[in-house]
C-alpha cells in the first residue's frame, strides 16, 4: 500500500501487519484490529484500524487517525466499540 496518509509512511507491509493484528469477534465474524505507526521522531502519528469482513467480497473498515500516544491510550475503548458493532 502506498501513502496511507500518515506522515512519514510511504509503504506498509500490510500482510505482515494483518498477521500480527489483534483478532476480535464482531457480530459473530472474525475480525482484525491493527495499529500502524509512522517512523517520525516527533509528532508521531498512527492509524488504529479495524477490518471486519461482511461477506466474501466486502469488508467494513473503522479507523482512528491521530497522535500515536493517543491511539495507544484509545486502543481498549476502540476495541470495545468495534466489538459492539452490529448490522443486518
Amino acid at each position: 500500500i502506498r501513502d496511507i496518509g500518515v506522515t512519514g509512511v510511504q509503504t506498509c507491509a500490510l500482510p505482515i501487519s494483518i498477521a500480527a493484528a489483534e483478532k476480535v469477534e464482531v457480530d459473530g465474524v472474525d475480525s482484525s484490529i491493527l495499529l500502524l505507526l509512522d517512523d517520525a521522531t516527533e509528532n508521531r502519528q498512527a492509524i488504529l484500524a479495524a477490518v471486519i469482513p461482511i461477506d466474501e467480497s466486502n469488508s467494513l473498515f473503522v479507523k482512528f487517525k491521530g497522535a500515536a500516544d493517543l491511539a495507544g491510550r484509545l486502543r481498549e475503548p476502540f476495541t470495545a466499540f468495534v466489538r459492539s458493532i452490529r448490522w443486518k
Side-chain angles (χ1 to χ4, degrees):
I1 294 178
R2 293 229 171 256
D3 189 14
I4 60 172
V6 176
T7 305
V9 175
Q10 296 303 313
T11 61
C12 174
L14 196 54
I16 294 169
S17 298
I18 290 177
E22 176 183 357
K23 306 302 182 201
V24 297
E25 187 174 306
V26 180
D27 201 19
V29 176
D30 291 333
S31 305
S32 301
I33 294 182
L34 6 140
L35 178 61
L36 304 172
L37 300 167
D38 73 8
D39 58 359
T41 55
E42 294 182 24
N43 300 318
R44 195 167 193 199
Q45 297 291 298
I47 294 176
L48 185 55
V51 181
I52 307 164
I54 301 297
D55 57 36
E56 289 184 23
S57 61
N58 297 291
S59 293
L60 173 66
F61 295 86
V62 180
K63 173 179 89 170
F64 167 82
K65 179 181 170 190
D69 61 339
L70 181 58
R73 291 193 311 269
L74 292 177
R75 187 170 186 146
E76 285 185 38
F78 180 86
T79 300
F81 168 72
V82 168
R83 283 186 170 134
S84 74
I85 294 173
R86 301 290 180 261
W87 63 89
K88 296 177 189 175

